[in-house]
């Protein structure tokens, strides 16, 4: 840099040089006194507002912004003048074209030689695009949570419907099972069955598995647990609706699985005939 173009102390004391320095910054900057006349602005602040420096100097917020925005600006100004501390806030600003910007504004106290606060310096970051993206993310998260809650409610309804209890006869219950007998549904089966046994004082409960597409070792364990639990309450539990495929699967399970505890019948009619003491072909 040549001596002719070097910035020296005398130049820096020039108002024009200071104005040129703050104009070189990316963030809009403004200076105002107390209570609120604008005493200095930076070029990017003028561009944000959509006005000129000459039109803004000496004027106040109500000359440019809606009352509800002025109320926010002045409240934060009052806090700064009262406390002497900087503050920062996310706020809305409407420009000359009516476009609403979301700003992150930091306001700093300006003091005289005696330390008294005589004005403030505001530095603005236009975060409109960032706020829109954050709001979109928030909306997506809320929508995802709502869908999750909706799915959970639907699952609860389906699970409740999947393990209905029918009061078939005095002290006789029927629990028709539809769909896969997962570990969760097996636990639900026990809960629902025990509640029904206690409610109706049941002595017999039939678990109809004709609607279960596949019975494997895991689902068989679920049935064994249900039957054993019912028996602990003094209730006879029998499996009905056993098909040939299910029977073949159960026959391959080891005795240690407790499969021998299961009382099974091909049809509900067979089970009822045995319980009620009626002939099977009746």
């Amino acid at each position: 840099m040549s001596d002719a173009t070097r910035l020296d102390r005398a130049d820096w004391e020039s108002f024009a040089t200071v104005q040129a320095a703050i104009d070189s910054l990316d963030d809009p900057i403004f200076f105002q006194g107390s209570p609120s006349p604008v005493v200095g602005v930076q070029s990017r602040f003028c561009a944000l507002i959509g006005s000129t420096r000459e039109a803004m100097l000496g004027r106040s917020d109500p000359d440019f912004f809606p009352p509800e925005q002025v109320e926010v600006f002045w409240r934060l100004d009052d806090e700064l003048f009262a406390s002497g501390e900087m503050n920062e806030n996310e706020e809305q600003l409407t420009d000359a074209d009516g476009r609403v910007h979301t700003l992150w504004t930091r306001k700093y106290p300006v003091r005289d030689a005696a330390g008294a606060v005589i004005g403030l310096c505001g530095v603005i970051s236009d975060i409109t695009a960032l706020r829109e993206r954050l709001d979109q993310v928030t909306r997506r998260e809320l929508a995802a949570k709502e869908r999750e809650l909706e799915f959970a409610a639907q699952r609860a309804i389906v699970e409740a419907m999947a393990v209905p209890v029918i009061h078939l006869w005095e002290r006789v219950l029927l629990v028709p099972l539809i769909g896969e007998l997962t570990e969760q549904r097996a636990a639900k089966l026990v809960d629902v069955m025990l509640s029904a046994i206690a409610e109706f004082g049941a002595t017999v409960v039939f678990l109809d598995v004709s609607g279960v597409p596949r019975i494997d070792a895991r689902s068989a364990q679920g049935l064994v647990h249900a039957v054993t639990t019912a028996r602990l309450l003094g209730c006879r539990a029998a499996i009905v609706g056993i098909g040939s495929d299910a029977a073949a699967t159960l026959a391959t399970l080891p005795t240690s699985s407790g499969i021998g505890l299961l009382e099974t019948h091909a049809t509900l009619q067979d089970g009822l005939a045995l319980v009620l003491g009626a002939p099977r072909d009746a």
Side-chain angles (χ1 to χ4, degrees), residues 236 270-280 282:
R236 179 179 178 181
D270 291 339
L272 284 172
L274 184 62
V275 169
L276 300 177
R280 285 175 174 259

Side-chain angles (χ1 to χ4, degrees), residues 20-217:
I22 64 173
D23 281 345
S24 68
L25 302 177
D26 289 333
D27 284 337
I29 298 174
F30 64 93
F31 302 88
Q32 67 184 54
S34 174
S36 63
V38 176
V39 296
V41 291
Q42 175 237 37
S43 58
R44 292 188 184 275
F45 183 81
C46 295
L48 173 65
I49 303 302
S51 184
T52 64
R53 179 179 292 111
E54 292 73 17
M56 298 187 68
L57 294 179
R59 301 179 70 182
S60 187
D61 291 336
D63 298 321
F64 302 100
F65 310 116
E68 64 274 10
Q69 294 179 2
V70 173
E71 181 181 357
V72 174
F73 299 158
W74 282 9
R75 174 174 55 81
L76 294 171
D77 292 352
D78 291 342
E79 290 179 4
L80 181 145
F81 288 121
S83 68
E85 302 292 335
M86 70 87 63
N87 59 47
E88 52 189 343
N89 188 56
E90 181 179 317
E91 53 198 20
Q92 304 293 313
L93 180 148
T94 302
D95 64 20
D97 294 326
R99 293 173 297 188
V100 178
H101 300 258
T102 302
L103 308 178
W104 185 250
T105 304
R106 288 86 69 202
K107 294 180 178 179
Y108 303 87
V110 176
R111 303 178 185 273
D112 61 14
V117 178
I118 57 174
L120 64 84
C121 170
V123 182
I124 293 173
S125 295
D126 191 336
I127 60 170
T128 304
L130 175 60
R131 170 50 61 194
E132 290 175 352
R133 289 195 294 270
L134 290 174
D135 288 345
Q136 288 175 357
V137 171
T138 300
R139 286 193 295 270
R140 292 193 190 101
E141 290 178 347
L142 289 175
K145 289 181 180 178
E146 289 177 358
R147 287 195 298 270
E148 183 178 348
L149 291 174
E150 183 179 350
F151 291 155
Q154 291 174 348
R155 284 195 299 270
I157 293 173
V158 170
E159 287 176 0
M161 293 176 60
V163 190
V165 176
I166 300 172
H167 191 196
L168 195 63
W169 201 273
E170 184 178 358
R171 296 180 179 273
V172 179
L173 302 178
L174 171 65
V175 183
L177 300 174
I178 308 297
E180 293 287 342
L181 188 59
T182 62
E183 184 176 349
Q184 291 78 11
R185 288 193 62 212
K188 182 71 174 179
L189 164 63
V190 172
D191 290 340
V192 170
M193 183 185 66
L194 293 182
S195 296
I197 290 173
E199 179 181 355
F200 295 105
T203 56
V204 178
V205 58
F206 292 107
L207 304 179
D208 187 350
V209 297
S210 58
V212 178
R214 181 174 62 93
I215 294 180
D216 55 16

